[in-house]
Structure formats: C-alpha cells, structure tokens
Amino acid sequence: MSNTINKKIELSLLESKDGSHTLLRHDISETYHSHNGAIQESLWVFIDKGLNYLKQQNYDTIKILEVGFGTGLNAILAYEFAQQNKIKIEYITLEPFPIPLEIAQKLNYIDFLQEDTKAIFSNLHQVDWEEMYQLSPYFSIQKVESTLENYQMDENYFDCTFYDAFAPSKQAEVWQLSNLQKVFDFTRKNGILVTYCAQGQFKRDLKTASWKVEKLDGAPPKREMVRAIKS
C-alpha cells in the first residue's frame, strides 16, 4: 500500500472546539471542517442525517459517493457506522488534492474512535488510489484522485452522496448546477445528498436539478443544513 504523489498545498493542523483536528488550507484560507467541532459536524451532517436516515428506511447496503475525501474523517466514521449497524457500505470518495501521509498521521481522530476502529484510520490513508479495498466484511473503499467534474459513473448507482467540498465562496466550480445534475443522475431513486451547506443559490440549483430539498437543523451552532432526495 502506498500513498499517491501529493500536489504541494500548504496545510496547518488546527484543533476545533470539540478537541478534534481539522486542517487549514492556506491557498484558499479555508479549513476542512467546522471550527466548532470537526467530529461533531461530521457525525451530525453525514452520519446522522445521511446514514442513520437510510438505516431508518431499512437499507442494509449503502453505496456512498463522497465529494472531498480530505482528512478521511467522514470515511472513518462511516466505517464505524457500518461495523456497529452491520450495514454493508461501498464508499467511493473523490479527492483531487490528497493530503500528505505524514500530515494524516498527525490527525487525532483515533482518540475519538472505538478501539477496533483505530488501526483502520491509518489504512484509509495508505491504501492505493483508484483501487477498491475491502477493509472489513461491512466496508469497502475506493479513493479516486479526481474532481467531480471529471468523474464518471453509471446512472442510478449511489444511495447517498456526502457533498463535503469547500464552501461555494472558495470552490464555486464544485457547486455548479452541472455537478448537482450529474450527482442526481448517479443517484438511485429515493437516494439522498447531504451537506453542511445551506446557501440560497445552492438550494435553488438543487431544485433546478430535480432534487427535493429538505432544510434541516445544522450542526450547532449552524442554523441550517441540507438533505436533498431523488424522489
């Protein structure tokens, strides 16, 4: 297993308010997670409003597309969810700018994980890009070094998209209507998209792309987040 060749982006390690790490990306002056709590936000937005929602709809297998692998936080929490709930997850994650392994190894997420999950976090960052890896009977992952704009997949494939790119003000191209339409086409009927973002134009574009938009309470102290459904 080897880490991919990394494009040079200056990063700094920061501690968020719940004690878990995030990274500051200097070229766009943006952090990878909420200052109010990296793990808190990920659990609230992606695990609870995404995976728990599908669990309540009686899904026993879930195919996930993640837009923005970043630090691997959503992936390791999805792994833990799969193990605890005995739900099979296939996790395909896109990341055009992988973080260096030496920075990933400094992240303190293992301090917050179940004992039998801790070793898996290192594996997430060391498995080869582009290959599908089975990390447990309930969890497989494929990391793809690509933008969403360049990624191709069969229509009606995914049950859930974690839309976790940097904010529209920092990475406007990721949030463009054509990408939201693309993800809609990738998604199975009754599948969902979840994101921390609740920007007005984004919600209007989701509706234009035929998503049904639900406004939910955001991870505290954020007022709002979005879950969109392909109904």
Side-chain angles (χ1 to χ4, degrees):
M1 296 190 292
S2 64
N3 200 39
T4 189
I5 296 172
N6 295 289
K7 303 170 181 69
K8 295 296 182 184
I9 291 178
E10 188 181 356
L11 300 169
S12 295
L13 200 65
L14 301 175
E15 187 174 298
S16 66
K17 286 184 181 176
D18 67 1
S20 59
H21 281 149
T22 187
L23 296 175
L24 172 66
R25 193 171 134 176
H26 288 269
D27 61 319
I28 57 173
S29 299
E30 184 82 343
T31 56
Y32 281 68
H33 312 94
S34 169
H35 293 285
N36 293 298
I39 285 182
Q40 172 188 272
E41 179 186 51
S42 185
L43 285 171
W44 183 285
V45 174
F46 301 106
I47 306 305
D48 186 44
K49 301 304 186 289
L51 299 186
N52 264 328
Y53 169 84
L54 293 178
K55 179 188 173 186
Q56 290 161 9
Q57 311 302 312
N58 298 314
Y59 280 69
D60 56 9
T61 64
I62 301 174
K63 292 182 177 179
I64 297 173
L65 173 66
E66 179 182 43
V67 182
F69 177 67
T71 64
L73 177 56
N74 294 335
I76 195 60
L77 294 177
Y79 171 90
E80 200 160 73
F81 175 90
Q83 299 301 109
Q84 291 170 352
N85 294 283
K86 295 182 167 46
I87 291 174
K88 289 187 176 180
I89 287 179
E90 178 185 313
Y91 198 97
I92 297 178
T93 179
L94 311 181
E95 179 56 68
F97 300 106
I99 69 172
L101 181 58
E102 60 268 22
I103 290 179
Q105 290 173 334
K106 292 177 182 176
L107 294 164
N108 69 352
Y109 301 148
I110 62 170
D111 296 343
F112 299 83
L113 298 172
Q114 301 286 333
E115 201 61 42
D116 55 359
T117 307
K118 293 182 178 183
I120 299 298
F121 182 68
S122 180
N123 291 347
L124 286 178
H125 284 278
Q126 294 186 71
V127 294
D128 291 332
W129 291 75
E130 319 306 329
E131 302 293 327
M132 181 69 76
Y133 284 92
Q134 190 85 34
L135 295 182
S136 83
Y138 293 105
F139 190 88
S140 59
I141 186 167
Q142 181 186 32
K143 301 186 301 181
V144 181
E145 193 171 349
S146 174
T147 61
L148 177 56
E149 297 91 282
N150 291 332
Y151 181 66
Q152 298 299 324
M153 176 48 81
D154 298 336
E155 291 192 359
N156 306 309
Y157 188 83
F158 295 105
D159 301 298
C160 180
T161 293
F162 291 174
Y163 219 91
D164 200 20
F166 291 109
S169 60
K170 304 292 184 177
Q171 244 185 356
E173 70 281 1
V174 185
W175 302 85
Q176 62 190 337
L177 174 59
S178 59
N179 275 338
L180 304 180
Q181 183 65 63
K182 188 175 193 176
V183 174
F184 183 88
D185 293 339
F186 288 165
T187 303
R188 292 176 177 177
K189 185 179 179 182
N190 298 320
I192 60 172
L193 175 157
V194 282
T195 180
Y196 66 88
C197 181
Q199 184 208 55
Q201 185 60 52
F202 168 62
K203 288 184 286 189
R204 289 189 290 274
D205 286 343
L206 281 170
K207 291 174 183 176
T208 300
S210 300
W211 293 95
K212 176 188 173 186
V213 175
E214 293 185 325
K215 293 180 283 187
L216 307 174
D217 291 339
K222 280 197 72 173
R223 197 164 46 86
E224 197 176 295
M225 61 160 282
V226 163
R227 181 169 62 215
I229 303 172
K230 182 175 180 176
S231 58

